[in-house]
Amino acid sequence: MSGGFGIFDIILFAMLAAFLVYRLRSVLGKRTGHENRRSDSLSIPEGASETGNDNVVALPDRAPEEEEQDLEADSPLSAGLTQVRIADPSFEAETFLKGAQSAFEMIINAYAAGDGKTLNTLLSADVYENFASAIRSRELANNSQESTLVGIDNAELLEVEMQGDEALVTVKFVSEQINATIDDNGELVDGDRSTIVTVTDIWTFSRDTRSSDPNWKLAATRSPN
């Protein structure tokens, strides 16, 4: 009977040992899995994004960029762009700037050539009258204008606003030009036929957002302060 009891003890101890080994392996398995995840988070390939809790490490690097975006969003220029887009959902700043540069070149060339017909399609009534008056004065003096737009170095938005239903967009152009005024004898009156000068112009374009006409017109010009 004592031998039977000894066998029962052995079986009981064996079962207890197996249970302890199972629990120990279970706990070790969880810790090993956790360590693997931490190790993987340190070997993320370049360009990949991290999705675990360790993402907090990257937050300080993104904070300055987010603050800069907030400042831009609160700027008067950004607010003006938003107002224009509300009035005219088709408005895109980049597309507008490309069109403005084309208009700038056309206006420079038309003014030099005394082409009032082209100017009339591109200018508001007030600005057209100013340009036309300058052309008439030039013609009365028997002078002509030679202008070459070598290139536009920069075109950037300065101001954008809505005045009622009218959208106003102000652009600063920095361009390289050759300008010369010539008399009827071919003599130089003003400027230089061979010297390239850098010219800065600030032009304001306008458009009635209620109109079906998508074209903008030059509404004002000024020189930088």
Side-chain angles (χ1 to χ4, degrees), residues 4-207:
F5 182 77
I7 293 173
F8 180 79
D9 276 345
I10 292 172
I11 294 173
L12 179 62
F13 289 146
M15 292 176 63
L16 180 61
F19 176 75
L20 291 175
V21 170
Y22 170 76
R23 291 300 302 269
L24 182 60
R25 289 185 61 186
S26 177
V27 172
L28 288 175
K30 289 181 180 179
R31 292 184 61 187
T32 301
H34 182 63
E35 290 169 359
N36 285 340
R37 285 195 296 272
R38 291 181 60 86
S39 176
D40 291 343
S41 70
L42 297 176
S43 59
I44 297 174
E46 184 177 357
S49 59
E50 191 174 5
T51 57
N53 290 334
D54 290 343
N55 280 348
V56 293
V57 175
L59 287 178
D61 295 334
R62 293 197 298 265
E65 182 180 348
E66 291 172 355
E67 291 176 1
E68 182 177 351
Q69 291 174 353
D70 290 341
L71 288 174
E72 291 178 356
D74 292 339
S75 68
L77 180 60
S78 179
L81 286 169
T82 299
Q83 292 176 356
V84 172
R85 290 192 191 103
I86 291 174
D88 180 9
S90 66
F91 179 84
E92 294 182 2
E94 183 177 353
T95 302
F96 174 85
L97 278 175
K98 290 179 180 178
Q101 291 181 68
S102 296
F104 181 81
E105 182 175 3
M106 292 175 66
I107 292 170
I108 293 293
N109 292 334
Y111 173 72
D115 184 358
K117 183 177 180 180
T118 297
L119 291 174
N120 191 41
T121 64
L122 297 170
L123 312 180
S124 69
D126 290 342
V127 175
Y128 172 77
E129 184 53 39
N130 291 335
F131 274 63
S133 177
I135 291 173
R136 287 193 297 268
S137 297
R138 187 175 70 201
E139 291 174 345
L140 287 173
N142 294 319
N143 292 335
S144 62
Q145 179 75 22
E146 294 181 1
S147 293
T148 301
L149 180 61
V150 179
I152 299 176
D153 294 333
N154 186 47
E156 63 176 308
L157 298 178
L158 286 186
E159 301 168 1
V160 181
E161 63 176 323
M162 290 292 300
Q163 292 185 0
D165 294 312
E166 185 179 23
L168 299 172
V169 180
T170 300
V171 181
K172 182 176 78 171
F173 297 98
V174 179
S175 63
E176 292 185 338
Q177 303 180 24
I178 299 175
N179 294 307
T181 302
I182 311 299
D183 65 18
D184 56 352
N185 295 319
E187 299 295 328
L188 182 68
V189 175
D190 188 30
D192 194 315
R193 284 173 159 170
S194 59
T195 300
I196 299 175
V197 296
T198 299
V199 181
T200 300
D201 293 286
I202 298 177
W203 287 10
T204 299
F205 297 87
S206 68
R207 177 179 175 270

Side-chain angles (χ1 to χ4, degrees), residues 202-218:
I202 298 177
W203 287 10
T204 299
F205 297 87
S206 68
R207 177 179 175 270
D208 185 347
T209 57
R210 299 171 303 174
S211 173
S212 59
D213 184 358
N215 296 317
W216 295 71
K217 291 195 173 186
L218 179 60

